[in-house]
Amino acid sequence: LAVRAKIHKLASLSRTLNDVVNERRSRAQYADYLKECIDVMLWDYLRVRLAHVMPPIDYELPPGDLRRIDGYNFGSLLGRGA
C-alpha cells in the first residue's frame, strides 16, 4: 500500500511538472510570436505608413557605412546639420 501511495504521489508530481514545463514552453512560443509580430509591424507596416517617401529596402547594398549613393557623397559632415 505504501508503494502504491508513493507511485501515485510521484505520478501526480510528474503530471504537475509536465504541466509547468508545457506552460513555460507555450509562453516562450507566444513571446517569439509577439516578437515576430512587432518586427513585422515595425519594418513592413509602419515603415510604409509613416514614411511613404522612403524607398524600399535594397538588399543589394553592401554592409557597412556608405560613402556614395547615386552621385551623392557622404563625409564627415553627415549628421551635423550642415
Side-chain angles (χ1 to χ4, degrees):
L1 190 62
V3 173
R4 260 190 197 183
K6 187 79 164 180
I7 290 172
H8 182 69
K9 184 176 180 180
L10 288 174
S12 176
L13 188 62
S14 175
R15 282 191 296 273
T16 302
L17 183 60
N18 192 32
D19 290 344
V20 168
V21 169
N22 285 337
E23 177 67 23
R24 183 173 173 90
R25 185 178 298 126
S26 176
R27 287 178 186 237
Q29 288 174 342
Y30 186 64
D32 290 341
Y33 169 74
L34 287 179
K35 287 178 187 176
E36 182 67 26
C37 288
I38 290 169
D39 188 62
V40 167
M41 285 188 292
L42 283 175
W43 299 111
D44 293 342
Y45 178 74
L46 286 178
R47 183 181 59 85
V48 172
R49 295 283 294 167
L50 296 178
H52 61 282
V53 296
M54 217 166 141
I57 297 172
D58 186 357
Y59 293 102
E60 301 298 319
L61 291 175
D65 293 334
L66 296 175
R67 294 290 179 199
R68 181 175 173 83
I69 298 177
D70 292 336
Y72 294 99
N73 293 320
F74 302 103
S76 60
L77 295 178
L78 180 65
R80 292 189 186 170

